[in-house]
Amino acid sequence: MVTSPEDPHVRLPQLKLDELLEELQARIDAARGTRDRVRSLLEAVLVVGRELDLEHALGAIVHTAAVLVDAEYAALGVIGPDGQTLSAFHTVGVSDEDVAVIGPYPEGHGILGELIRHPQPLRLAKLSHHPASYGFPPHHPPMNSFLGVPIRVRDQVFGNLYLTEKRDGAEFDEEDESVLSTLAVAAGVAIDNARLYEDSRLRERWLRANADITHSLMSGSARAEALDLIAERAREITGSALVAVAMPVTDTKSLTVEIAVGLHAEAHRGLVLPLHESLMGLAYAAAAPVASDDVIHDPRISSQSPRFAGLGPAVAVPIGTAQGGTRGVVLLARETGRPVFSERETEMLQGFAAQAAIAMELADRRQDAERIAVLQDRDRIARDLHDLAIQRLFATGMTLQSASRFIDHPEASERVLRAVDDLDETIKIIRSAIFGLRAREGVAGGGLRARVVGVVDEAAPVLGFAPSLRMEGLVDTDVPREIADHVVAVLSEALTNIARHARADRAHIALTTDGREAALTVSDNGVGMPPGGRRSGLRNMAERAEQLGGRLTVSSPDGGGATLQWRVPLPATRPSGPAPGQ
């Protein structure tokens, strides 16, 4: 029996065969698509894993995520130290112009915050339908479909990947979620590797900086040079806008800022800071780091701190340890809006400061050894002069004196006796030199720096506020004792006048020296100099300046108050002859 192609019994198997072929082709295409996607995922893992720079790694991760799931917009939000908000936001698909129009990056509210609070994959067909959604800011591009997955680094959530607007209007499916979750695992490994690499590079820079400081100190450089090197290296490595180094003032509860580099450095240099009204003072007193998220509005810091304008996060770290003794404090501050100092950064900075303290201690020990060697050499010279030179001169004098009795010529006898007297005077001079060689360094009483701080501290309760104090130059070294006594007396008189007559609530004191002149400036915001008022105190200050060849000037600025400037030349440059008024 012959069948026709139009026979229904022939068409039915043919249709089934076509359907099977189509299904087989679809499965082959799906397998090929899966193979291609797996290959793309493996290539993406390799691309992400090759990046060792953390910022570049984050950028590669978010770009790769957008390509893998065919999303128009992608973002990676880094969770901040508080674990509740985003500290950084890396985007793909939004231009810089769009970002400028939209405004600041999100902080982690709405849907973004939902993923922070519940770190599990989240897939939505329409963002606006989720209860946590509350809309977009003006000028934000429209977004509907959404896929988010967390990125974990060593069992801790580092951040989240956010993908929106799958192309061609489709929705993200389970396969997209699986691919993105796999990428997130690879991203966590890449981020961890980048962090470890960054840590190793950072530690290497800190070690190199410590080596430079140790070499500087041990090669005989001055302490000021070493402190300046500490500040510069800390600023470079941490990316800080300001770095200041303060050292304790002997016999006081205050610190003086010896080195400051960066933003508003001049406003910090030379300042004298109390231990309990400054970030550096708190770190010194506690012998532990003290951090601030916003140094301008920190209630622990004195309100008189315009020097921090434009600065935000800050940290003060002691130079040294509680066991070994704190030698000083280093303060670092970043500009407003910059990231706060992390625990890792603070830990590395603390290690750097501890090593710097060891280097300073070794340098001090070397200087002490050199000083002892010099003193021992002086003792040897003094002993030799006493035991050899003086004894021989004394014996020579005795011989000449006894020989004079045998000289009959009066003039010759007189000359011999005169030579004996000259030998006696020479012996006295040598004995004075011996006393000078054996005398130890140091002057009774504290240095001028400590005395000035003491006067200011004593005046604070009477004034009702703590004046700000700045000292610049080698105050203890360049200013001799007799001039230092006048400085202390003038400062005390000036603060007393402010307390009695000025009705001020602020006062600023500056003591500076450049090796040629000492200058004391005291200013306040009070009522100024009343006409016809008593001026006996000012007359005393002026007389003190004139006795030393200097001058006193008093002015009333336009903003109110009074400014007193007391200047005297130092001995090396003081004019010869009688001073004016003598």
Side-chain angles (χ1 to χ4, degrees):
M1 178 178 179
V2 179
T3 59
S4 171
E6 286 79 11
D7 192 328
H9 296 286
V10 176
R11 289 199 305 271
L12 185 58
Q14 183 71 34
L15 289 173
K16 288 183 178 179
L17 181 60
D18 291 342
E19 290 176 1
L20 289 173
L21 289 173
E22 289 177 1
E23 183 178 351
L24 179 61
Q25 184 64 43
R27 291 189 178 185
I28 291 173
D29 291 341
R32 184 180 294 113
T34 302
R35 182 197 64 187
D36 293 342
R37 200 162 195 185
V38 169
R39 182 184 293 117
S40 299
L41 179 59
L42 291 175
E43 291 176 352
V45 169
L46 290 175
V47 169
V48 169
R50 278 198 297 265
E51 289 291 349
L52 289 177
D53 181 85
L54 183 58
E55 290 298 313
H56 290 169
L58 297 179
I61 290 168
V62 68
H63 176 77
T64 304
V67 173
L68 281 177
V69 299
D70 202 22
E72 186 174 353
Y73 304 106
L76 192 159
V78 180
I79 299 176
D82 59 2
Q84 300 177 353
T85 58
L86 298 176
S87 61
F89 205 69
H90 303 264
T91 62
V92 166
V94 182
S95 65
D96 293 339
E97 293 78 9
D98 293 336
V99 171
V101 173
I102 295 171
Y105 283 121
E107 297 180 355
H109 306 296
I111 296 295
L112 305 187
E114 182 71 15
L115 208 58
I116 294 175
R117 292 186 293 272
H118 306 287
Q120 299 294 332
L122 178 63
R123 183 158 43 92
L124 301 173
K126 197 169 184 62
L127 274 168
S128 58
H129 291 172
H130 194 279
S133 176
Y134 63 83
F136 297 106
H139 310 293
H140 196 284
M143 295 181 180
N144 292 299
S145 57
F146 174 84
L147 175 60
V149 295
I151 298 176
R152 287 181 169 84
V153 177
R154 296 177 181 265
D155 298 327
Q156 291 185 345
V157 179
F158 172 83
N160 297 302
L161 276 171
Y162 308 106
L163 287 301
T164 60
E165 286 299 286
K166 189 173 177 68
R167 298 185 187 277
D168 299 329
E171 298 179 9
F172 296 105
D173 55 23
E174 292 183 3
E175 188 175 343
D176 292 327
E177 181 180 321
S178 177
V179 168
L180 201 61
S181 297
T182 303
L183 178 66
V185 173
V189 176
I191 291 169
D192 192 31
N193 288 337
R195 277 179 163 180
L196 292 173
Y197 178 74
E198 184 179 300
D199 282 353
S200 66
R201 293 290 301 274
L202 194 59
R203 292 184 188 279
E204 180 184 354
R205 294 183 69 187
W206 282 122
L207 288 173
R208 192 180 300 118
N210 269 318
D212 292 342
I213 292 165
T214 302
H215 179 268
S216 174
L217 284 167
M218 299 309 291
S219 62
S221 297
R223 188 183 71 165
E225 294 181 15
L227 295 180
D228 189 66
L229 189 60
I230 290 173
E232 287 289 355
R233 290 292 185 273
R235 183 188 176 203
E236 291 171 6
I237 296 174
T238 62
S240 300
L242 169 74
V243 178
V245 180
M247 307 300 285
V249 181
T250 307
D251 299 328
T252 70
K253 295 181 179 180
S254 303
L255 301 171
T256 179
V257 180
E258 295 194 7
I259 300 294
V261 294
L263 189 64
H264 307 312
E266 290 296 331
H268 291 262
R269 199 173 295 124
L271 278 178
V272 176
L273 305 172
L275 293 186
H276 301 292
E277 293 183 9
S278 64
L279 210 62
M280 301 178 88
L282 293 171
Y284 181 83
V290 177
S292 173
D293 293 345
D294 186 356
V295 71
I296 296 179
H297 301 101
D298 196 316
R300 296 172 297 177
I301 302 173
S302 171
S303 59
Q304 297 182 15
S305 56
R307 61 187 183 277
F308 289 118
L311 298 174
V315 62
V317 177
I319 300 175
T321 60
Q323 295 77 16
T326 304
R327 303 182 65 89
V329 181
V330 57
L331 169 76
L332 297 93
R334 289 175 174 154
E335 294 175 337
T336 303
R338 292 286 309 282
V340 299
F341 289 89
S342 64
E343 292 184 5
R344 180 170 54 93
E345 288 179 307
T346 304
E347 178 186 353
M348 289 187 178
L349 181 61
Q350 195 172 6
F352 167 72
Q355 290 296 325
I358 293 173
M360 293 171 69
E361 181 71 20
L362 290 174
D364 286 348
R365 292 290 178 266
R366 180 181 59 79
Q367 291 179 354
D368 289 344
E370 291 177 354
R371 191 178 297 112
I372 290 172
V374 169
L375 293 176
Q376 288 176 341
D377 197 41
R378 288 181 178 180
D379 285 342
R380 180 188 60 78
I381 295 171
R383 187 169 55 251
D384 290 345
L385 286 173
H386 183 272
D387 294 344
L388 299 175
I390 288 183
Q391 296 300 332
R392 293 187 62 137
L393 288 172
F394 185 75
T396 302
M398 292 291 293
T399 301
L400 289 174
Q401 193 173 22
S402 62
S404 66
R405 292 177 297 177
F406 301 102
I407 299 175
D408 297 329
H409 196 286
E411 185 176 349
S413 177
E414 182 182 353
R415 287 186 179 185
V416 170
L417 292 176
R418 190 159 56 241
V420 171
D421 292 339
D422 289 342
L423 287 175
D424 287 340
E425 288 298 322
T426 302
I427 291 172
K428 290 179 182 178
I429 294 172
I430 293 176
R431 281 177 172 165
S432 297
I434 291 172
F435 178 79
L437 286 171
R438 287 178 170 171
R440 296 298 183 261
E441 296 179 358
V443 182
L448 178 56
R449 189 182 296 270
R451 295 174 67 190
V452 167
V453 173
V455 171
V456 174
D457 288 344
E458 290 176 2
V462 180
L463 291 167
F465 59 89
S468 67
L469 174 60
R470 178 193 308 279
M471 287 186 279
E472 294 185 28
L474 301 176
V475 174
D476 287 337
T477 305
D478 288 347
V479 183
R481 179 78 182 190
E482 61 272 13
I483 295 180
D485 292 340
H486 286 286
V487 171
V488 172
V490 170
L491 176 59
S492 180
E493 180 71 25
L495 293 178
T496 300
N497 288 343
I498 293 174
R500 289 179 178 175
H501 310 297
R503 299 201 294 275
D505 58 13
R506 275 200 317 273
H508 303 281
I509 303 160
L511 174 61
T512 62
T513 178
D514 57 2
R516 299 185 299 272
E517 182 184 58
L520 174 67
T521 303
V522 182
S523 61
D524 65 77
N525 66 338
V527 298
M529 295 295 298
R534 294 184 59 187
R535 298 178 181 265
S536 58
L538 292 177
R539 186 165 55 251
N540 292 337
M541 293 185 230
E543 289 176 355
R544 288 179 181 273
E546 291 170 358
Q547 290 173 9
L548 299 170
R551 65 190 182 281
L552 170 73
T553 60
V554 180
S555 60
S556 297
D558 296 336
T563 299
L564 178 149
Q565 287 188 327
W566 191 86
R567 296 175 174 272
V568 296
L570 296 178
T573 59
R574 192 179 306 163
S576 59
Q582 288 186 327

